[in-house]
Structures are given as structure tokens and as C-alpha cells.
Amino acid sequence: MAQPRAAFALLTEGAGRPEWARLFAADPDADRRERLAACPGLPPDVAETLAADTEIRVVVELALWTTSDMAARLAEHPHAEVRRAVAANEATPPAVLAALLTGEGMPPARRCLVCDRKETPFVHDPYCSKPDCELHPRASCDGTHESTVHDTQQQALRNPATPAGAVVGFADDSSPLLRWALAERTDLPPEVYERLAGSPEPGIRGTLAENPAIGDRLIRMLAADPGHDVQRRLAHNPRVPLDVLTTLAETIRVGPTLLPRIATASPAEIEELAASRNPAARMLVAERRDLPPEIRDALAADADARVLKSIAPHPGLSEARLRAMVDRHGVRVLARVAMNPDASPALLEDLVRHRPPVRKVFREVACHPNATARALSACLQDPEARPVAAGHPALPPEVVVELLADDNWQVVEAAAANPSLPLTVMSALVSQRVQESG
């Protein structure tokens, strides 16, 4: 009890002593009991004590993390909030999760957080402005604890331990949140995914599009879906066919991202993509950082700026190739060239002097290990790059000392951590701090 933080740190790792857990279980501080309830491997008598706690939040925390046997018992707890927590616990037995989902075979809950605090029937104002209100915007209770029951179903649908057979009936549920949770699952029959694809909410269809369990026919159908974010999320599906992916890349903004399907492409597929007449295909494969030298160099000579932006950070590119990119496309590729780990000190100096300037270049050069003092001096003039540049070891010691007086605390902190800061200045700073703390 002299060092409760240390004791909790050990209990959280399953390395604490049983007597510590018993002390905390009897602690009058409910915050400590709640924290204890999340610890693994609690002695059975401690779990029993916590399960009978008068503070419902302690029991809820136990229900979230407890063992299978205790979770099965807490599933019939009279408080609906405890049942909601049990539904989120992956150790809960599948049969119990199925019962929580449908309510069949379960005695009805007698309380919830809503009727604990409000007279029923009650529906919470979604625009409630009371600063001390702890009820969520959808909270409601007419005696059946409907909002908490809905949340329990949502948790059970998301729980991978819930049997697939128990969840399929929710594919046509009136609640978008329940169908949304169902769309995340990867263990459903194809016909269930087909039904979910007919949801009017683009968010559900977008979640479905990213699900690796959907089949080729559904993937191709979703590729033509104009709903917000559906096509972009489909591009991140690890099983999307390459022909669909390259077509998507022509119409959506993929950004500088190595997509999962490209990351797992075979050597033959890489060659095919790199030689494609479609610039979008070449752009996608150029995001890989393990390309064979001959493919890397061929893409570095591409005429399309999108391809060059993707390939520019690839290690192993010569300075001549990097400079040729800048000469051909200027500001469009500058920041990506600055990200190349092999960019020379001279090239980095030229990039920060480019006209017109590109602000992102300063941020990239500020953290580049090859940046020189001259290049960093230019970076210090940019407000966003300044805190990064202040910590670069290539800065002259006198400049680092000057930055200790900067108006921006982030710059000061970075300068104080800079290994180029003279030892005498470090010692003086420490001495000053000790005196101030008295």
C-alpha cells in the first residue's frame, strides 16, 4: 500500500502477489477496485468480491476482462450495463454470447444506467448541453433498458467468439449500428454479405468493402458503388483483384500508401504492374520499397509524375535519378524526393532552396539524417519544421543554445534534447531547474 502504482503495474502484468489483490479488493477507493478488476489472473476469492461490489462500474470492469466461468455468471447480472460488458468479453462462452444477443433463456435485467439516474420512460436529448451529464446521446429506457440492450447486441455482434449462426438474422435489422457491426465480421455466409451490401448506408457498404471475407462477385459490384468512401475502402481490401484495384486507382485518391494487395503481390505480378500501360498500376507498385533494382530504376524514369512521387522515397536510387525527377516535375515531387534515405547533403540543400518553395520539404529535410547545418538553417525558418530541426544533431552548438530561448516550447524542448547541446549548458539547465523546484 506504500507504492500502489508499482503494485498495480505488477498486477497488470500478472506478476503481483495475491495478497496485494486482496488488499485492493477491500480498498474504500472505488477507482482502485475498478483498476484491479481489469487485472488478469485474479485469485478466485478476489473475483468473487469484485463481482459483488456495490459500485456497478467495478463489476462492469470485471465483466470486461474476467474468465469464461465468471463471465457466464455475470451474464445474468441484474444490471444491464454488466451484461453489455460481458458481451464485449472474448472469453465469454459462445452460447452465453448468443443468449445475450437474442435475450432467449436470460432473465430480464432489472436496472440500467439510465433508470439508475432518471425516472422512466426517459429519452436523452442528443444535444444535451449539461456539462456533468454522463449519459450517451442515444440513452433511453422505458423499463426494458432498450438503449443498453441495443449496445449489448452491438458488442456481441462485434465479438468474434459469438457464433456466426446467432448473428446472421441481424443482416436485415432496422438498426444501422447493428448491421454495421455485422459488416465487420469475417465468418459469415456469402448470402449475408450480399444482404448487407443492399444497406442504404454507405458507411456499412464501405465497411463491407474492406472486409477480406467477401467474394469476387461482391467486390466487383462494390467497385461500381458511388457511395462515400466505398471505393476507397475497397482498395484497401487485401483480396481485391489487381484489375479492379488498378481501375479504382484511376478514379479515387489512394495517396502515398502501400495497399495490402500490392504488398502481397508475387514477383510476376510486380513485373506485370510495373510494365503496365496504365500509370495507376505503375504508381501502386512503385510504393513498394523492396523492388528489384531494374524495376525500381525503370519506374524512376517514368514520365508520369504520380509514379515518380511513389518511387522517389525508394532506397537505392542514385542522386542523378533523383535530380532528374526534380528537373522534370519540380514542386510535384520535391517533398517525396526529400524523403529518400539516400538523398545527399548537397541535394537536400538544393531542395530547401528551390523556388517556389514547398513547405513539406522543410519538414522532411528537418528530420533527414543527411541534412547539413545550411539546410537546417532554412528549415528553422518554417514554423512547422522548426521544432523538428531544433533537435537535429547537425545543428551547430551555438545555434542550439540560441533555440533554448525560443518562444515555442516545442522548439525549446527539442533543443534541450539535442545531442549537440554543450555539456556545460546542459549542466547549467539542470542546476537552474533544481533551484527553481526548491
Side-chain angles (χ1 to χ4, degrees):
M1 298 305 286
Q3 298 189 61
R5 292 182 183 177
F8 269 124
L10 289 165
L11 285 167
T12 301
E13 296 297 324
R17 296 178 181 175
E19 57 265 30
W20 300 350
R22 293 186 179 98
L23 283 170
F24 283 127
D27 196 302
D29 186 343
D31 288 340
R32 288 184 175 178
R33 302 198 306 275
E34 182 180 13
R35 185 174 178 182
L36 175 67
C39 294
L42 294 173
D45 60 307
V46 172
E48 293 287 347
T49 300
L50 295 172
D53 202 289
T54 55
E55 283 284 348
I56 200 63
R57 59 190 173 101
V58 175
V59 188
V60 167
E61 193 68 20
L62 179 69
L64 280 170
W65 307 106
T66 193
T67 60
S68 175
D69 291 343
M70 178 59 76
R73 287 175 50 192
L74 291 177
E76 298 189 8
H77 196 280
H79 203 289
E81 190 67 18
V82 176
R83 300 184 183 199
R84 184 202 62 78
V86 171
N89 188 337
E90 294 185 17
T92 301
V96 174
L97 289 168
L100 286 170
L101 191 59
T102 62
E104 295 179 7
M106 284 282 176
R110 296 198 295 269
R111 299 163 48 205
C112 70
L113 292 180
V114 180
C115 57
D116 278 350
R117 300 166 185 174
K118 304 290 183 180
E119 289 188 16
T120 58
F122 175 82
V123 177
H124 190 220
D125 180 0
Y127 304 103
C128 176
S129 59
K130 297 177 180 178
D132 58 343
C133 182
E134 296 180 355
L135 295 176
H136 65 71
R138 295 182 296 104
S140 63
C141 181
D142 61 2
T144 63
H145 325 296
E146 63 271 17
S147 66
T148 310
V149 169
H150 181 275
D151 289 346
T152 300
Q153 292 175 321
Q154 194 174 351
Q155 295 293 343
L157 288 170
R158 285 204 167 95
N159 194 326
T162 304
V167 307
V168 294
F170 287 84
D172 303 308
D173 197 271
S174 60
S175 168
L177 292 176
L178 298 186
R179 284 183 279 115
W180 208 322
L182 198 60
E184 297 173 1
R185 294 185 65 109
T186 59
D187 59 349
L188 304 179
E191 59 271 19
V192 176
Y193 295 125
E194 297 277 353
R195 283 154 58 192
L196 289 169
S199 295
E201 301 85 2
I204 295 175
R205 302 198 305 275
T207 298
L208 191 65
E210 205 167 0
N211 191 327
I214 63 174
D216 186 79
R217 195 184 79 81
L218 190 52
I219 286 176
R220 293 182 184 277
M221 185 181 82
L222 291 170
D225 191 323
H228 172 69
D229 219 29
V230 175
Q231 295 176 337
R232 187 196 66 80
R233 296 186 70 175
L234 182 63
H236 288 263
N237 189 313
R239 294 185 59 188
V240 62
L242 286 178
D243 64 307
V244 174
L245 183 56
T246 53
T247 301
L248 287 172
E250 294 177 342
T251 57
I252 64 172
R253 291 180 61 88
V254 176
T257 304
L258 177 60
L259 295 174
R261 179 62 182 88
I262 300 298
T264 59
S266 67
E269 288 173 331
I270 291 172
E271 288 187 17
E272 180 183 347
L273 289 166
S276 173
R277 297 177 62 181
N278 183 351
R282 304 196 302 273
M283 173 192 69
L284 292 175
V285 75
E287 284 294 338
R288 287 187 61 141
R289 297 294 172 256
D290 59 350
L291 296 173
E294 62 277 10
I295 292 180
R296 175 202 65 202
D297 291 344
L299 291 171
D302 202 285
D304 194 289
R306 293 174 298 170
V307 178
L308 295 186
K309 287 176 68 175
S310 292
I311 199 67
H314 197 295
L317 288 171
S318 67
E319 180 168 357
R321 292 191 185 280
L322 293 173
R323 287 188 179 275
M325 293 181 194
V326 175
D327 292 341
R328 289 202 305 275
H329 293 285
V331 296
R332 297 183 67 183
V333 300
L334 239 62
R336 299 286 286 177
V337 170
M339 293 172 63
N340 192 290
D342 300 319
S344 69
L347 175 57
L348 295 175
E349 289 183 7
D350 289 343
L351 293 178
V352 297
R353 288 198 297 261
H354 190 276
R355 293 294 177 268
V358 176
R359 290 191 63 183
K360 193 174 180 181
V361 168
F362 297 113
R363 298 195 292 274
E364 296 297 341
V365 173
C367 62
H368 201 292
N370 294 340
T372 62
R374 185 178 300 178
L376 293 168
S377 178
C379 296
L380 288 172
Q381 308 310 310
D382 181 82
E384 291 188 24
R386 188 176 178 86
V388 182
H392 201 292
L395 277 180
E398 61 273 16
V399 175
V400 180
V401 173
E402 290 176 6
L403 292 172
L404 292 172
D406 199 89
D407 294 333
N408 186 333
W409 68 268
Q410 292 176 309
V411 174
V412 175
E413 193 173 74
N418 193 316
S420 294
L421 186 67
L423 183 59
T424 54
V425 179
M426 293 185 195
S427 300
L429 285 173
V430 173
S431 298
Q432 180 184 351
R433 180 59 179 161
V434 170
Q435 291 175 3
E436 289 174 352
S437 59

